[in-house]
């Protein structure tokens, strides 16, 4: 069966031997590949061919990986279902008739269907973790700055990170080892040894993640934010507690924690993300990027027509809302308040992690939606990100691992959140389940 996981199926061969030799890694179609079409799921970039590779692509091929193609995604990463792609929706191999999550739904579907061994996605507000949860795979959103964003078509620069999707925690960790490390082309990348107290800049043990997937959770202290359970589907909550019980049976313990700021996280996230999107997507005008206009009239009219025809409805909605939030007279009312809320979210997470090794919640408050269910109700789609967006606001690492299934057989994910550059902690905890 075809799941429409790929937009472009053009193979990029790896360079000889390496840790990923003989393995295929699908790449989300907003990550630049030299000489291979990269569309970001948009008609605006339907024929765009980058002249360079993203840093993560260089690291994949240097490690010997073969890239079998570029995967489908919500247009410019804006969506939770992979239904806003200009190239059609992606099917969920793990739940027929339901969405695979988004915006990295094509990457997760390719792994879940066995069409790729591993995959890369990008996570702005949950876009790696959501599809991992909905397809029964593993997805890691790294700490902001651990993985280079050079060559990633930007949606919201201060929030997004490239991360791995894999069938197991160990395989996801192996892929993270390959793509993590500072990059001179991305000034936001940071050396992990500086952040976690390492003394030797040449000591790369901080980038060794696969050996942490040993399943040893004896003595692990888990914090459970009660706010991230409020309003969640009953089946999802029950499956979540079953997973916590399993971790307890292996020696972990848990306590409840309060994160009062997350009540405002979704609103703050969308104000910030849409504002950054309105700026980033200004370049798609038919002159710098996008189809060359073939209209008669003044430049403003041609510019408007290119964007009207090139962008989908969800992208246009977010550009309009972001532009409004940044406009004169409203910047302080919306954008500044959202940044204040962001600082509050980070403070709450840092405080909660002082007494816990990791925090745990359902990855998504709902099981996979039926196809078409949320397209006419954008607010429902936005609220589905309630458990994932706070992590991006706080720039922390998180992993989604399979927690089980609902009574209807739909996949449920468990999200584990760690301190900054605490990838090893979430990988160790997650490997006890997957």
């Amino acid at each position: 069966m075809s799941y429409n996981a790929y937009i472009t199926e053009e193979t990029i061969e790896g360079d000889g031997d390496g840790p990923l030799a003989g393995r295929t890694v699908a790449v989300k179609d907003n990550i630049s590949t030299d000489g291979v079409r990269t569309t970001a799921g948009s008609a605006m970039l339907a024929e765009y061919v980058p002249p360079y590779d993203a840093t993560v692509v260089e690291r994949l091929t240097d490690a010997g990986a073969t890239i079998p193609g570029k995967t489908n995604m919500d247009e410019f990463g804006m969506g939770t279902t992979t239904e806003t792609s200009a190239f059609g929706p992606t099917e969920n191999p793990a739940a027929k008739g339901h969405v695979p999550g988004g915006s990295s739904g094509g990457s997760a579907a390719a792994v879940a269907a066995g069409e790729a061994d591993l995959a890369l996605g990008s996570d702005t507000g949950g876009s790696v973790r959501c599809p991992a949860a909905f397809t029964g795979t593993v997805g890691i959103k790294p700490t902001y700055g651990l993985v280079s964003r050079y060559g990633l078509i930007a949606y919201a620069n201060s929030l997004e990170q490239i991360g791995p999707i894999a069938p197991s925690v160990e395989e996801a960790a192996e892929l993270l080892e390959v793509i993590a490390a500072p990059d001179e082309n991305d000034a936001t990348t940071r050396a992990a040894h500086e952040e976690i107290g390492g003394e030797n800049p040449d000591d790369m043990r901080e980038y060794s993640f696969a050996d942490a997937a040993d399943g040893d959770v004896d003595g692990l202290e888990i914090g459970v934010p009660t706010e991230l359970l409020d309003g969640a589907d009953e089946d999802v909550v029950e499956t979540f507690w079953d997973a916590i019980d399993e971790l307890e049976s292996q020696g972990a313990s848990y306590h409840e924690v309060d994160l009062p700021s997350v009540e405002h996280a979704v609103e703050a996230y969308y104000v910030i993300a849409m504002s950054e999107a309105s700026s980033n997507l200004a370049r798609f005008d038919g002159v710098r990027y996008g189809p060359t206009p073939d209209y008669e009239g003044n430049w403003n009219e041609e510019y408007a027509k290119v964007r009207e025809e090139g962008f989908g409805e969800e992208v246009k909605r977010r550009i309009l809302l972001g532009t409004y939030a940044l406009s004169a007279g409203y910047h302080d009312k919306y954008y500044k308040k959202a940044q204040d809320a962001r600082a509050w979210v980070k403070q709450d997470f840092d405080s909660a992690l002082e007494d816990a090794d990791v925090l745990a919640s359902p990855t998504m408050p709902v099981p996979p939606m039926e196809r078409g269910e949320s397209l006419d109700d954008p607010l429902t789609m936005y609220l589905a990100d309630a458990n994932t967006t706070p992590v991006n606001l706080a720039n922390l690492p998180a992993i989604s691992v399979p927690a089980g299934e609902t009574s209807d057989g739909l996949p449920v994910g468990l999200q584990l959140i760690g301190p900054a550059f605490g990838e090893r902690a979430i990988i160790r905890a997650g490997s006890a389940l997957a």
Side-chain angles (χ1 to χ4, degrees), residues 156-189:
N157 309 60
S158 74
L159 298 165
E160 56 203 5
Q161 277 285 273
I162 295 170
I165 297 174
S168 70
V169 172
E170 184 176 7
E171 290 168 290
E174 289 171 350
L175 182 51
L176 182 60
E177 282 185 14
V178 169
I179 63 174
D183 177 20
E184 63 181 9
N185 292 316
D186 181 358
T188 66
T189 55

Side-chain angles (χ1 to χ4, degrees), residues 300-311:
N300 287 322
E301 291 175 348
E302 293 183 356
Y303 171 83
K305 288 179 180 177
V306 166
R307 290 167 69 82
E308 168 64 27
E309 296 175 4
F311 289 140

